[in-house]
Amino acid sequence: MLKICCIGAGYVGGPTMAMIAKQCPDIQVTVVDINEKRIAAWQSESLPIYEPGLDKVVQAALNRNLFFSTDVDAAIREADIVFVSVNTPTKTFGEGAGCASDLQYWELCARRIKEVSTSDKIIVEKSTLPVRTAEAMERVLHAGNRSVHFEVLSNPEFLAEGTAISDLEDPDRVLVGGRETPSGQEAIQELVDIYARWVPRERILTTNVWSAELSKLTANAFLAQRVSSINAISALCEATDANVAEVAHAIGTDQRIGSKFLRASIGFGGSCFKKDILNLVYLCETYGLHEPAEYWRQVVVMNEYQESRFVIRMLRSMFNTIAGKRIALFGFAFKADTGDTRESPAIRICRKLVEEHARVVITDPQAIENAKLEIPDLLDRVEFEEDPYAAAEGAHAIALLTEWDQFKQLDYQRIYQSMVQPAFLFDGRNMLDHDALFEMGYEVFSIGKGMKSHL
Ligand code: UDX
Ligand code: ADP
């Protein structure tokens, strides 16, 4: 029986391995992590991450051919294929701080694999890594002891949170990069054969290892760039009375542009976009490519501008003072259908509002626990409230920050009556019916559209 081990039971490792196990009952998949709580949660009723449809996929394979364990060494030793899916956050210290990837967890894994392996293995990079990391990994793995052979592949994950299961089940493409040597090609084929159990062959792309690594960074940079581009236009729309949704629709019907990823918002968040762009910036700089580095850096600069702009607009419209005013934040997750709050624009927006001495109340259907971890220093200055109606009661303003469907279904008339007048509503995701809200009496502000004010 082919045995797979995955190091790292996070947002990427957990769902990806659950899908492989579900689709390939004859392959034994063991996911390991040093975090005992996480491993226990994967085996319980309440999974450590919220992802629609994930529970069913896990249940289909759990304890059949899908196992979770903290015994990292044993799982590595037994495996034919080891996926490395540990976190690679942006470095916060030393050379490249704020830009480069912190590879310490990843290198620890490589050293562990080398130490405990007694048979040849294929090592698959799943975490997003800077280009040429595979080469470094090969060097760590083969340093000294040459009796065991490791073939390093790059197989970047393109799943998006909230749609992880459908992205895994029916991906646009699967990318496998490997060495152009015979053993490299053989390893590629082995991994391709696994995905080919459920993914049409023509959607499985094979490249050299560096192209695979760079494609992941590039895909995220292009997606984030679209969001920053439409957000830049949203500022212009607000100044000119154009409507950003109409502009997005008009340009999106051009097939060369396409309609996706053109929703103006308070900015992109999530664990990948900012990190990967900064990584790309750092890579460019490392190779002396200053103009390309600056070009991509602007995508992040624009994102920060969009967050600040939103708060400034709140402040200006609420008579230049929000000190002491109760402001309900509807949503804290970086997008809908996930409990993930990493790099969520809500974090910075919340901080800026607290700096202005607003009384912030946070409500979110899935992300309250994670939100608390993001702002440990503010816990005595903000409130958390499960019920959005209670959050909005007595508030001067609502700021809608995450496009949860639940927020669309609320009775805004009832909410309006419980708020302080004039009641302000800032729709940071352009998802509510602004005309209807205006009719109810709200002062309505959205992204990239003129305001609707009774004052
Ligand atoms: C992203 C990539 O889509 C995925 O392929 C990669 O593997 C990981 O990074 P994810 O971060 O889960 O996935 O979410 P995504 O749907 O890409 O959204 C990222 C951010 O952009 C969110 O904050 C979202 O709200 C924002 N966004 C997205 C917009 O503001 N407007 C849009 O039109 C699209
Ligand atoms: P991602 O979004 O990339 O999946 P996460 O932070 O959700 O990132 O998951 C990464 C996981 O990797 C964490 O659960 C962390 O505990 C685990 N991890 C980090 N280093 C190691 C290691 N050396 N051995 C095992 N697991 C590790």
Side-chain angles (χ1 to χ4, degrees), residues 6-15 32-35 38 42 49 72 85-88 104-106 108-109 112 126-128 161 271-272 275 340 342:
C6 174
I7 309 177
Y11 284 90
V12 173
V32 293
D33 203 294
I34 41 180
N35 183 333
R38 244 188 183 177
W42 277 108
I49 60 176
V72 179
S85 192
V86 300
N87 35 335
T88 48
Q104 57 175 315
Y105 308 105
W106 166 86
L108 274 173
C109 285
R112 208 67 226 136
K126 214 44 177 150
S127 330
T128 310
E161 288 176 32
S271 68
C272 288
K275 183 185 82 173
D340 195 353
R342 288 178 293 177

Side-chain angles (χ1 to χ4, degrees), residues 366-386:
Q366 290 293 338
I368 287 188
E369 288 316 308
N370 280 336
K372 288 180 185 166
L373 300 175
E374 297 286 357
I375 45 171
D377 51 320
L378 299 186
L379 292 185
D380 55 344
R381 299 177 71 185
V382 303
E383 264 178 63
F384 295 89
E385 182 53 74
E386 301 251 331

Side-chain angles (χ1 to χ4, degrees), residues 122-436:
I122 296 174
I123 312 299
V124 186
E125 296 177 352
K126 214 44 177 150
S127 330
T128 310
L129 293 161
V131 185
R132 302 205 81 90
T133 303
E135 189 178 33
M137 192 169 214
E138 277 174 359
R139 282 167 58 195
V140 171
L141 288 167
H142 286 132
N145 169 19
R146 294 234 155 215
S147 59
V148 174
H149 180 74
F150 299 102
E151 200 59 55
V152 181
L153 300 179
S154 165
N155 171 219
E157 189 49 72
F158 294 104
L159 65 81
E161 288 176 32
T163 54
I165 297 306
S166 55
D167 292 345
L168 285 165
E169 206 139 44
D170 185 25
D172 286 349
R173 75 329 206 162
V174 167
L175 182 57
V176 181
R179 286 279 190 187
E180 279 145 334
T181 57
S183 62
Q185 294 300 304
E186 225 173 87
I188 289 179
Q189 200 51 48
E190 199 164 325
L191 192 54
V192 166
D193 288 343
I194 293 176
Y195 285 110
R197 310 272 195 104
W198 78 95
V199 180
R201 284 265 171 180
E202 64 277 11
R203 284 201 228 154
I204 307 178
L205 314 180
T206 59
T207 63
N208 79 31
V209 74
W210 327 123
S211 303
E213 287 178 342
L214 187 57
S215 299
K216 168 71 182 187
L217 294 184
T218 308
N220 278 344
F222 269 58
L223 290 169
Q225 182 200 41
R226 282 176 73 94
V227 178
S228 273
S229 297
I230 199 69
N231 281 343
I233 297 301
S234 77
L236 195 56
C237 288
E238 286 161 30
T240 57
D241 274 344
N243 176 333
V244 76
E246 291 176 354
V247 175
H249 181 66
I251 64 163
T253 47
D254 185 327
Q255 286 189 20
R256 293 166 303 174
I257 296 176
S259 60
K260 292 188 177 151
F261 263 71
L262 288 178
R263 275 178 288 116
S265 66
I266 40 172
F268 58 76
S271 68
C272 288
F273 279 3
K274 185 173 168 198
K275 183 185 82 173
D276 289 354
I277 292 174
L278 293 178
N279 221 314
L280 197 59
V281 167
Y282 185 70
L283 262 172
C284 291
E285 272 166 359
T286 306
Y287 289 100
L289 304 169
H290 304 299
E291 284 79 3
E294 275 317 299
Y295 175 78
W296 287 110
R297 195 193 299 281
Q298 280 306 311
V299 175
V300 175
V301 170
M302 182 53 61
N303 202 49
E304 287 164 0
Y305 167 76
Q306 190 73 352
E307 288 167 2
S308 316
R309 215 166 67 73
F310 187 71
V311 176
I312 290 170
R313 211 160 171 234
M314 288 179 77
L315 185 63
R316 297 268 180 275
S317 51
M318 294 172 77
F319 322 113
N320 288 311
T321 174
I322 51 175
K325 291 181 181 169
R326 181 175 168 96
I327 297 182
L329 302 188
F330 277 20
F332 207 86
F334 80 97
K335 63 189 255 192
D337 294 327
T338 177
D340 195 353
T341 54
R342 288 178 293 177
E343 294 295 340
S344 177
I347 302 169
R348 266 92 55 186
I349 289 172
C350 175
R351 287 195 179 283
K352 288 185 207 292
L353 293 173
V354 171
E355 272 167 30
E356 291 288 341
H357 295 187
R359 293 188 292 126
V360 174
V361 192
I362 295 167
T363 185
D364 189 291
Q366 290 293 338
I368 287 188
E369 288 316 308
N370 280 336
K372 288 180 185 166
L373 300 175
E374 297 286 357
I375 45 171
D377 51 320
L378 299 186
L379 292 185
D380 55 344
R381 299 177 71 185
V382 303
E383 264 178 63
F384 295 89
E385 182 53 74
E386 301 251 331
D387 174 14
Y389 291 103
E393 197 171 337
H396 291 251
I398 295 170
L400 191 146
L401 304 185
T402 312
E403 71 281 22
W404 284 102
D405 213 32
Q406 285 93 320
F407 296 146
K408 239 189 234 166
Q409 320 299 338
L410 297 173
D411 178 349
Y412 282 93
Q413 186 69 59
R414 174 182 156 196
I415 291 176
Y416 178 76
Q417 269 141 14
S418 74
M419 290 175 69
V420 175
Q421 307 301 329
F424 289 84
L425 197 144
F426 300 89
D427 183 354
R429 298 287 183 168
N430 284 353
M431 64 174 267
L432 301 177
D433 181 342
H434 301 144
D435 288 334

